[in-house]
């Protein structure tokens, strides 16, 4: 018989939970990607006007990278309280923080108005964005993973992952529309603020949906067991971070390695491409934005398909397919972009994002299945977000610096290929997790002394 934690939820309830996670991640990624697109297009002129164009872009991407630097702190704080208090409460807080920071960016004075205070304020708000996103991802995917039917966990858990392309689609679409209907002068003067201010409306909608869902049943069961042990004089639980480092440090390293190719390739394909295509390939700003817009729509569609495939053949094979594929695609990718043709640009970005989806789709279930319930938020968030500091954070910055130093796409392609090799190694040494029941590890809350049952030993192994 299925326990309450493992019994499949009612279809309507599960769909509502998936919708709540999806709309929240879409809004948060919209906010995050909007900054990345604006950093490539206008922030270099508005906040760093004293620099030459490429240096200004580098400084703009540096503030972009600052947001990634705050994500590990968000992972630690949100992970700790998410494992102690629950997934839902922390997801509401992360949405408020992200939306508030993004709305405030839309109200910021520029360098022309307040001088050096402008980039300082921009950096502070970017830190708040990164802190919020560091806690958002883990909670969103866990809420679905711990509610969903174990047989289709890869499929259902991949839906919050579609929040990334949906947010990219929304951010790029709004920017593309504005650049199409506004002159460059109008967009640079006030038009760029509109998509940031729209975040306020989106947050209200996201909160209304997110507040309507229930807490994860797997977490509630694990919390009840922990409280029962405490009431009967059992040993107190260790802090989630301590438990993760004690029992799951190998899984954290595997998750970090798995993120390298996925994270680096994504930001090269969607953020840096706006710089490369407009400066080296002679493509217009509107054309570059439209290519990312079309490719993001395809990316959104293929992620659930990759997630469903991971339910059939396993998380590792699908992930490895994406890592190998993205490494092989890099040289053709830049060759197509260099032609300057709109069709070739769409093909380059679309194939790249389809291959990225093979890594990103199973990632939610894969990382969730690595960790025990009372340390799962911390473990999944730490593994994912600490990797982003070395991967996604510097990716546009490194790519822009390589382009500036060598004037060629070859070093950038080799950079992504090296990341793909690292990911192949990390996923290659990982164990397949597809058949793990998340409720089976609900009892593993790291009491002292450590459990010595065969089941506990198997979980630790």
């Amino acid at each position: 018989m299925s326990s309450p934690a493992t019994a499949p939820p009612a279809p309507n309830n599960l769909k509502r939970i998936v919708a709540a996670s999806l709309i929240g991640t879409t809004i948060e990624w919209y906010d995050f990607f909007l900054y990345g697109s604006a950093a490539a297009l206008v922030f270099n002129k508005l906040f760093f006007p004293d620099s030459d164009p490429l240096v200004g872009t580098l400084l703009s991407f540096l503030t972009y990278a600052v947001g990634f630097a705050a994500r590990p702190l968000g992972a630690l704080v949100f992970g700790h309280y998410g494992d102690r208090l629950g997934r839902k409460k922390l997801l509401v807080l992360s949405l408020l923080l992200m939306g508030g920071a993004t709305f405030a960016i839309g109200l910021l004075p520029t360098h022309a108005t307040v001088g050096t205070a402008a980039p300082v304020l921009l950096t502070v708000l970017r830190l708040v964005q990164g802190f919020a996103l560091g806690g958002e991802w883990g909670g969103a995917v866990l809420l679905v993973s711990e509610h969903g039917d174990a047989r289709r966990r890869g499929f259902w858990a991949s839906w919050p992952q579609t929040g990334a392309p949906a947010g990219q689609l929304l951010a790029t679409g709004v920017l593309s529309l504005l650049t199409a209907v506004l002159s460059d002068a109008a967009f640079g003067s006030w038009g760029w603020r509109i998509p940031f201010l729209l975040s306020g409306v989106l947050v209200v909608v996201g909160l209304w949906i997110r507040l309507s869902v229930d807490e994860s049943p797997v977490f509630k069961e694990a919390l009840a067991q922990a409280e029962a042990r405490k009431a009967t004089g059992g040993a107190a639980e260790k802090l989630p971070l301590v438990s993760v480092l004690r029992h799951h440090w190998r899984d954290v390293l595997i998750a970090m390695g798995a993120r390298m190719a996925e994270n680096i390739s994504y930001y090269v394909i969607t953020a840096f491409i706006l710089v490369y295509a407009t400066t080296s390939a002679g493509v217009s700003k509107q054309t570059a934005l439209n290519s990312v817009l079309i490719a993001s729509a395809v990316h959104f569609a293929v992620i659930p398909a990759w997630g469903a495939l991971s339910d059939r053949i396993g998380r590792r094979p699908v992930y490895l397919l994406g890592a190998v594929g993205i490494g092989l695609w890099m040289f053709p990718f830049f060759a197509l972009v260099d032609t300057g043709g709109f069709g070739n640009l769409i093909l380059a970005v679309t194939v790249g994002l389809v291959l990225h989806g093979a890594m990103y789709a199973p990632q939610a279930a894969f990382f969730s299945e690595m960790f025990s319930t009372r340390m799962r938020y911390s473990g999944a968030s730490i593994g994912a977000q600490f990797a982003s500091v070395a991967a996604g954070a510097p990716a546009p910055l490194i790519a822009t610096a390589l382009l500036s130093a060598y004037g060629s796409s070859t070093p950038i392609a080799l950079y992504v290929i090296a990341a793909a090799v690292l990911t192949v190694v990390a996923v290659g040494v990982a164990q397949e997790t597809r058949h793990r029941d998340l409720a089976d590890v609900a009892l593993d809350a790291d009491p002292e002394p450590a459990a010595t049952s065969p089941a506990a030993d198997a979980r630790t192994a």
Side-chain angles (χ1 to χ4, degrees):
M1 294 178 61
S2 296
S3 70
T6 58
N12 289 337
N13 186 44
L14 180 56
K15 291 176 182 178
R16 186 170 67 251
I17 292 161
V18 170
S21 293
L22 172 57
I23 194 168
T25 54
T26 298
I27 293 169
E28 299 242 11
W29 282 114
Y30 165 80
D31 294 346
F32 207 75
F33 289 140
L34 181 61
Y35 189 103
S37 297
L41 298 174
V42 295
F43 281 178
N44 57 336
K45 303 179 183 70
L46 296 175
F47 293 93
F48 307 98
D50 296 333
S51 305
D52 67 69
L54 198 56
V55 173
T57 301
L58 282 168
L59 293 173
S60 185
F61 274 141
L62 184 60
T63 63
Y64 177 69
V66 163
F68 286 84
R71 284 165 70 170
L73 179 60
L76 290 172
V77 173
F78 280 82
H80 172 83
Y81 288 104
D83 282 328
R84 283 288 188 255
L85 304 177
R87 294 33 170 145
K88 176 181 172 179
K89 296 182 179 68
L90 275 298
L91 284 174
V92 170
L93 178 60
S94 69
L95 188 60
L96 286 172
L97 285 174
M98 174 65 85
T102 305
F103 187 83
I105 289 175
L107 300 175
L108 274 183
T110 63
H111 188 280
T113 304
V114 297
T116 56
V120 171
L121 292 171
L122 182 67
T123 302
V124 170
L125 291 174
R126 181 61 175 171
L127 284 168
V128 176
Q129 280 190 322
F131 179 79
L133 190 58
E136 163 69 22
W137 180 84
V141 299
L142 292 188
L143 197 64
V144 176
S145 295
E146 293 178 344
H147 270 97
D149 182 355
R151 292 172 299 178
R152 304 186 68 196
R153 184 181 298 128
F155 170 74
W156 289 117
S158 70
W159 278 100
Q161 300 292 75
T162 64
Q168 178 76 69
L169 191 66
L170 190 58
T172 307
V174 171
L175 285 172
S176 181
L177 177 63
L178 290 172
T179 56
V181 300
L182 297 177
S183 66
D184 287 345
F187 182 77
S189 175
W190 55 268
W192 67 271
R193 298 180 183 275
I194 294 175
F196 287 93
L197 297 177
L198 284 175
S199 178
V201 178
L202 297 175
V203 167
V204 172
V205 176
L207 283 175
W208 176 69
I209 296 178
R210 188 161 276 187
L211 287 170
S212 68
V213 302
D214 296 326
E215 181 57 79
S216 153
V218 172
F219 173 81
K220 288 193 290 187
E221 182 180 346
L223 179 61
Q225 291 166 350
E227 291 175 346
R229 282 196 302 270
K230 184 178 180 180
T232 56
E237 292 179 304
K238 288 185 178 295
L239 295 175
L241 176 60
V242 175
S243 298
V244 166
L245 297 180
R246 177 176 179 180
H247 290 296
H248 292 288
W249 62 269
R250 291 182 182 85
D251 295 320
V252 169
L253 292 178
I254 287 171
M256 291 176 66
R259 288 269 324 207
M260 288 299 165
E262 176 267 308
N263 220 217
I264 289 173
S265 66
Y266 189 79
Y267 290 104
V268 167
I269 292 170
T270 60
F272 171 71
I273 193 62
L274 299 178
V275 174
Y276 183 83
T278 54
T279 58
S280 295
V283 175
S284 70
K285 182 190 305 182
Q286 185 67 43
T287 299
L289 282 170
N290 287 342
S291 68
V292 175
L293 187 69
I294 294 169
S296 294
V298 177
H299 193 210
F300 179 91
V302 300
I303 284 178
W306 286 124
L309 183 62
S310 78
D311 285 327
R312 296 179 63 86
I313 67 174
R315 318 300 183 210
R316 291 172 68 249
V318 176
Y319 212 117
L320 289 170
L321 174 64
V324 173
I326 205 69
L328 295 175
W329 183 243
M330 275 301 100
F331 280 112
F333 171 81
F334 283 108
L336 288 168
V337 174
D338 286 337
T339 66
F342 183 47
N344 286 341
L345 189 59
I346 293 174
L347 178 63
V349 179
T350 300
V351 173
L353 289 183
V354 168
L355 293 169
H356 170 270
M359 294 180 282
Y360 199 55
Q363 188 179 100
F366 190 29
F367 289 7
S368 298
E369 292 158 349
M370 288 181 179
F371 301 97
S372 307
T373 301
R374 291 286 279 163
M375 59 189 85
R376 185 171 292 133
Y377 202 142
S378 295
S381 297
I382 290 169
Q385 303 307 334
F386 272 71
S388 69
V389 176
L397 190 65
I398 290 174
T400 303
L402 289 172
L403 179 63
S404 177
Y406 296 97
S408 169
S409 63
T410 299
I412 305 167
L414 293 174
Y415 166 53
V416 178
I417 290 169
V421 171
L422 183 57
T423 292
V424 167
V425 172
V427 177
V429 301
Q431 293 183 351
E432 179 57 57
T433 62
R434 174 167 58 113
H435 297 295
R436 291 184 183 175
D437 186 345
L438 298 185
D440 285 344
V441 290
L443 296 174
D444 186 4
D446 193 26
E448 290 290 352
T452 56
S453 66
D457 290 342
R459 289 195 301 270
T460 301

